[in-house]
Every structure is written in structure tokens, then in C-alpha cells.
């Protein structure tokens, strides 16, 4: 019988200490250490490997190899019917990859994973749930897919030892774990969801995925501050970290790659939550733009890039006289500090008196953007609202605003222009520094270069 040992783990970062500490030396959090029982022996056999090999079996040690002598083969990715999911993963599912997906409760993580398992009938999948019963999963599957012929197996289990026994029986091509916080390993004595259990269970799944070339998808809970629950080493261990975002009061969801060893970490997929499941949105620009019959002041269209994908989004601004001594500065989906900087540029450089007025800014559609190219659209919407002059709905903007009021160049401007032309816009305002090397003749949209904000004021309000 192995001897149990007590250690203290930080519930925020996973830092281990032999005694209790008031403040974590790693993440500086207070009162975050919890005592857990751990078992440390040097002759353990991993749970998944012990199912097929005796404990006394030996394995040849790896030897160092010259990098030029290593034979490399392109991985054969498994393409799913979900094109948005393929884009975020970098082209499909890589064999032997370990993918972690996190998101708020009720956002649709389990729905997305079950929909993935049911959408590939030619591949055998094993959906393991520690939170729902088989009847609950069957009820959701009937709602997602009617008359399904999916080759999907359902297992409700939390013990990794029993899970690997069933994996050996079923021999699946894809494994889905929902969720990692519910699993527990017999190698550890602590409770499920603790730092040591999450780390050990993930390590066992990692070894299984790499040595059997079976892709494994792990659903993870998140904390109240939005980070994935458990030790930070969990995100370092996996190959890909996906974040499922959105507002539960809106129907649109965004699947974003935070980390990806097999593709770009700047990609994202957009879904629409319906009664029959998640529907992929192939043209997100149309859902981000409001359909109005009459122009309204304070509205401007920005040509932005979300990852590698061009989007047309609607920027809404409202400038009104303040009823209190301190004016309000409120933004939804846009950085409040950057909004304050743009307001300071307008007041200092161009004489707009905004210090006594409330300013509200909103990015329509519930999207949160960080692309500096929407600065020009924010400025146009602010001035349009203050002067109560509507802007043409056929114009769009793409430019970064500097502290002196200059319009700075943005990256991949040709993609932004092509997206605006495809959606039927008549003109796009860009920086004049983006026109160098730009072939404007191949576009059927009016390209209007600007040097500074004075050129924008003359073009729109002069």
C-alpha cells in the first residue's frame, strides 16, 4: 500500500507547498491554499497503459536524433462537416491532439461537442460525460440531429480507470471528455476537481492521445474572472485551447483559438444558437449590420479584422448633455481607455467640447473588438452623434487614429476593401499611407485616402 502524503495546492495557479501559506508566491493570491492528499511512488503504471500491458513490462528508452535525420510527414487531418470548427483548428482535427475548450455555464460547450460527435458518421466517437445521464444526452441528441446515423457511443463515468477500460473495448477514433473537472484518478487521493486531480487526469489523457494517435477533446469549466478553472499548467499541457464566448441573452456565439500548435491562434468561428443546435454563420458581416430604412446619426460601419477574417461591424455612439457634474464614459465591446484617448484627441486637437457631455459607445451584435482599425469609425460615429448629422450607410471606415490626429495605416487593407466591395458598399475611408503599392483599379469601390482627421471632417461634414 503506497503511503499517502498531504500537500497544499494553490487553487488559482496550482503552486504546491509542503505547508500552508497565506499568500501564494506564484500568483500572489491570498487564502488560496487547500490541503490535498497525494500519493507519490516511482513504479506506477499509467491507468490507460495498465489496461493493455502488465506492470512489469518494459519500454525501450528514447534516443536523441539529429533533426536532419528525422522523417517528417504531413499530418492527415480529419475534416468535419463544420467548416467554422475546421477553420479554428487550422484545417481539421489532428490525430493525437489534445484540445481544451472552455466557456461560461450555459454557453453551449456540451452542445458543440455532442454536435461534433454526431456529425461524423464515418468515424467512431466516444462521448464521456460526468455531468449528465445517458437519458439526458439522448434527449439532447434527438433535438440536435433527427434520424441520426452517427457512430457515437455514450459513457457516463468519472473514474479514469473505468474510462480507459471502455476505450479499450470500444476503440474510438475520437474521445470527448465533458468535463475534466468531474474526472478522478485512482493515482491521487484528492477530490475530483482539485488541482492535483485535474493535472493528473489531463496527464493520463495526454499520454493516451500521443501514444495512440487518438484526438481527445476536453471540456473545461471557467472561473468567475473568465479564465479556465484549474492549474495554469493545464493550458500548457494541451495542444489547443479554444474559448467559446458570447452572451446568453444573444443568439450568436464565437469560438476563438487562444492557443494552437497546429494552426493560427488568430482564427475564430461564429455560430448561431437555435432550437436545433448551433448553426454555423458563413457570412458574419450581415448579422453585425442593422437593417434600417432611414439613416440615423451616431452610426458608422467599420471594416475590421477578427483574426484572419474581415468583418463589417456597426459602431453606435450617443453623445448627450450631462445631467450630473461628472460626465459618463461608457463603452460596450470597446476599450474604455481607448475611447477616452480618442475623446481627448478630438477636444485637444480639433476643439470639440466633449468634457461636459455623456458619451456612450456600443459595438452592435455583442462582439468585443480589439482591432485599432475601428478608431476611424468610432470618431465618425461620435461626431455624427454630437452634430446630429447622419452618415451614409454606404460608407465604411478602416484606419487607426494617432494622438496628433493623423490617420495611421492598418494591416491587410486589401482584405478589408474586398469585403466592403462584396457587401455592396460604395466607398471606404482609409489612411493615405495604405495607398502605397495598392492597386485601386481592381476594386469597384471608391477608395478615399485620408491624412488626418481634418480630411475626414471635410469629407463628411464639410
Amino acid at each position: 500500500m503506497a503511503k499517502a502524503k498531504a500537500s497544499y495546492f494553490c487553487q488559482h495557479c496550482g503552486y504546491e507547498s509542503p505547508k500552508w501559506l497565506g499568500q501564494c508566491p506564484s500568483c500572489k493570491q491570498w487564502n488560496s491554499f487547500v490541503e490535498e492528499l497525494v500519493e507519490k511512488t516511482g513504479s506506477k503504471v499509467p491507468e490507460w497503459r495498465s489496461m493493455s500491458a502488465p506492470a512489469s513490462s518494459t519500454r525501450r528508452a528514447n534516443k536523441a536524433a539529429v533533426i536532419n535525420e528525422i522523417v517528417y510527414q504531413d499530418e492527415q487531418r480529419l475534416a468535419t462537416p463544420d467548416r467554422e470548427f475546421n477553420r479554428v483548428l487550422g484545417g481539421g482535427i489532428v490525430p493525437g491532439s489534445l484540445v481544451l475548450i472552455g466557456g461560461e455555464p450555459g454557453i453551449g460547450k456540451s452542445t458543440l461537442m455532442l454536435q461534433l460527435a454526431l456529425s461524423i458518421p464515418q468515424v467512431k466517437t466516444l462521448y464521456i460525460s460526468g455531468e449528465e445521464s445517458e437519458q439526458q444526452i439522448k434527449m439532447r441528441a434527438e433535438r440536435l440531429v433527427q434520424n441520426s446515423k452517427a457512430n457515437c457511443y455514450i459513457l457516463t463515468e468519472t473514474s479514469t480507470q473505468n474510462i480507459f477500460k471502455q476505450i479499450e473495448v470500444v476503440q474510438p477514433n475520437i474521445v470527448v471528455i465533458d468535463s475534466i473537472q468531474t474526472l478522478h484518478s485512482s493515482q491521487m487521493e484528492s477530490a475530483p476537481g482539485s488541482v492535483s486531480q485535474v493535472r493528473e487526469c489531463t496527464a493520463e489523457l495526454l499520454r493516451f492521445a500521443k501514444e495512440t494517435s487518438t484526438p481527445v477533446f476536453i471540456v473545461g469549466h471557467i472561473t468567475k474572472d473568465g479564465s479556465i478553472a484549474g492549474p495554469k499548467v493545464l493550458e500548457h499541457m494541451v495542444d489547443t485551447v479554444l474559448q467559446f464566448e458570447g452572451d446568453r441573452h444573444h443568439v450568436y456565439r464565437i469560438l476563438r483559438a487562444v492557443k494552437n500548435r497546429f494552426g493560427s491562434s488568430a482564427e475564430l468561428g461564429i455560430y448561431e444558437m437555435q432550437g436545433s443546435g448551433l448553426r454555423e454563420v458563413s457570412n458574419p458581416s450581415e448579422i453585425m449590420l442593422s437593417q434600417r430604412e432611414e439613416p440615423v446619426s451616431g452610426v458608422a460601419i467599420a471594416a475590421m479584422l477578427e483574426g484572419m477574417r474581415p468583418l463589417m461591424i456597426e459602431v453606435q455612439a450617443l453623445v448627450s448633455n450631462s445631467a450630473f457634474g461628472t460626465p459618463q464614459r461608457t463603452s460596450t465591446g470597446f476599450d474604455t481607455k481607448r475611447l477616452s484617448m480618442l475623446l481627448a484627441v478630438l477636444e485637444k486637437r480639433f476643439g470639440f467640447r466633449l468634457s461636459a457631455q455623456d458619451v456612450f459607445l456600443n459595438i452592435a451584435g455583442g462582439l468585443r473588438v480589439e482591432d485599432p482599425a475601428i478608431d476611424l469609425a468610432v470618431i465618425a460615429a461620435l461626431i455624427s452623434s454630437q452634430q446630429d448629422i447622419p452618415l451614409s450607410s454606404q460608407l465604411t471606415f478602416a484606419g487607426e487614429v494617432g494622438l496628433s490626429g493623423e490617420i495611421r495605416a492598418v494591416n491587410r487593407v486589401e482584405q478589408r476593401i474586398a469585403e466592403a466591395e462584396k457587401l455592396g458598399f460604395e466607398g471606404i475611408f482609409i489612411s493615405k499611407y495604405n495607398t502605397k503599392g495598392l492597386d485601386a483599379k481592381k476594386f469597384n469601390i471608391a477608395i478615399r485616402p485620408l491624412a488626418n482627421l481634418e480630411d475626414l471632417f471635410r469629407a463628411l461634414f464639410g
Side-chain angles (χ1 to χ4, degrees):
M1 184 86 181
K3 183 179 179 181
K5 178 183 178 182
S7 293
Y8 292 87
F9 291 90
C10 174
Q11 298 302 298
H12 288 271
C13 66
Y15 182 85
E16 181 179 0
S17 173
K19 62 180 181 178
W20 185 87
L21 300 175
Q23 184 184 33
C24 177
S26 177
C27 64
K28 306 302 181 183
Q29 293 288 334
W30 288 91
N31 300 323
S32 61
F33 277 89
V34 175
E35 182 182 11
E36 297 178 6
L37 294 178
V38 297
E39 182 183 357
K40 296 184 178 180
T41 59
S43 59
K44 285 184 183 176
V45 178
E47 292 285 357
W48 71 267
R49 192 182 299 164
S50 62
M51 298 299 103
S52 58
S56 59
S57 62
T58 59
R59 186 168 64 94
R60 182 176 299 177
N62 295 329
K63 296 182 180 179
V66 181
I67 189 171
N68 294 331
E69 298 177 357
I70 298 176
V71 180
Y72 168 74
Q73 296 179 351
D74 292 336
E75 67 274 6
Q76 299 296 325
R77 295 176 181 256
L78 174 62
T80 69
D82 192 340
R83 290 172 295 179
E84 298 293 306
F85 197 76
N86 293 337
R87 177 188 291 110
V88 176
L89 291 180
I93 302 174
V94 177
S97 60
L98 188 63
V99 181
L100 174 64
I101 175 171
E104 294 183 357
I107 203 68
K109 303 183 299 297
S110 300
T111 301
L112 178 64
M113 289 293 98
L114 183 59
Q115 196 167 302
L116 171 68
L118 298 174
S119 64
I120 318 176
Q122 70 275 14
V123 173
K124 185 185 297 184
T125 59
L126 178 60
Y127 185 91
I128 303 169
S129 177
E131 301 176 345
E132 297 177 284
S133 64
E134 295 178 355
Q135 290 75 18
Q136 288 177 308
I137 300 174
K138 174 63 176 179
M139 188 176 8
R140 181 149 40 91
E142 290 293 332
R143 177 172 54 87
L144 296 177
V145 181
Q146 299 294 334
N147 300 323
S148 174
K149 298 181 180 179
N151 194 7
C152 178
Y153 292 77
I154 304 298
L155 175 63
T156 56
E157 183 59 63
T158 58
S159 172
T160 57
Q161 184 177 8
N162 297 335
I163 287 174
F164 287 121
K165 285 182 180 179
Q166 289 299 312
I167 287 177
E168 186 180 20
V169 173
V170 177
Q171 296 292 325
N173 302 110
I174 297 177
V175 176
V176 178
I177 306 293
D178 185 14
S179 64
I180 188 63
Q181 277 78 16
T182 62
L183 299 189
H184 66 89
S185 172
S186 60
Q187 307 286 344
M188 310 297 294
E189 299 293 336
S190 54
S194 61
V195 171
S196 55
Q197 279 287 2
V198 171
R199 183 168 50 194
E200 178 64 25
C201 294
T202 305
E204 292 180 9
L205 293 170
L206 177 63
R207 289 191 292 267
F208 163 75
K210 298 305 178 185
E211 299 195 15
T212 62
S213 296
T214 303
V216 178
F217 291 88
I218 301 175
V219 176
H221 299 167
I222 67 170
T223 59
K224 60 182 179 181
D225 60 353
S227 59
I228 297 179
K232 196 66 176 178
V233 70
L234 179 64
E235 299 181 39
H236 292 285
M237 294 170 64
V238 300
D239 298 312
T240 304
V241 179
L242 304 180
Q243 194 79 19
F244 207 35
E245 305 172 354
D247 191 345
R248 285 182 295 176
H249 303 291
H250 291 79
V251 296
Y252 299 110
R253 306 286 189 267
I254 296 177
L255 183 65
R256 192 187 308 272
V258 180
K259 168 190 174 183
N260 193 357
R261 290 174 178 167
F262 309 112
S264 172
S265 60
E267 289 289 356
L268 84 162
I270 300 180
Y271 295 88
E272 180 182 1
M273 178 63 78
Q274 298 179 341
S276 58
L278 292 164
R279 183 188 69 86
E280 53 184 291
V281 178
S282 57
N283 189 7
S285 297
E286 294 181 355
I287 66 175
M288 299 297 175
L289 302 179
S290 301
Q291 304 297 328
R292 294 190 181 92
E293 296 181 357
E294 299 180 357
V296 181
S297 63
V299 176
I301 308 300
M304 62 163 289
L305 282 175
E306 186 66 34
M308 306 293 292
R309 197 173 193 177
L311 296 177
M312 296 290 124
I313 63 170
E314 183 177 289
V315 180
Q316 302 174 344
L318 177 62
V319 180
S320 61
N321 293 328
S322 177
F324 305 98
T326 303
Q328 300 184 60
R329 301 287 185 263
T330 305
S331 64
T332 303
F334 187 73
D335 188 10
T336 307
K337 294 182 179 179
R338 193 164 188 87
L339 173 62
S340 301
M341 183 199 75
L342 296 177
L343 294 175
V345 171
L346 287 175
E347 187 158 355
K348 175 71 174 179
R349 303 293 183 185
F350 304 100
F352 288 94
R353 300 303 176 188
L354 301 172
S355 58
Q357 294 180 304
D358 294 334
V359 177
F360 303 92
L361 189 72
N362 177 49
I363 305 298
L367 189 68
R368 179 164 185 84
V369 297
E370 298 179 354
D371 189 359
I374 72 169
D375 288 353
L376 199 57
V378 171
I379 292 290
L382 290 172
I383 302 305
S384 172
S385 177
Q386 191 204 39
Q387 302 295 324
D388 200 17
I389 300 177
L391 299 177
S392 173
S393 60
Q394 299 300 316
L395 297 178
T396 183
F397 305 85
E400 180 183 356
V401 177
L403 292 180
S404 61
E406 79 277 10
I407 309 299
R408 301 174 59 87
V410 296
N411 60 339
R412 295 200 290 274
V413 68
E414 292 190 3
Q415 289 183 252
R416 306 173 194 262
I417 297 175
E419 180 72 10
E421 180 183 353
K422 184 178 70 173
L423 294 177
F425 287 91
E426 297 177 357
I428 180 172
F429 289 90
I430 64 173
S431 172
K432 74 170 186 179
Y433 304 106
N434 272 127
T435 58
K436 297 180 181 179
L438 178 65
D439 187 9
K441 297 181 180 179
K442 66 179 182 180
F443 298 106
N444 295 323
I445 183 175
I447 300 176
R448 304 184 182 183
L450 303 173
N452 48 49
L453 290 180
E454 293 181 357
D455 297 341
L456 177 68
F457 301 151
R458 284 194 294 266
L460 296 178
F461 311 106

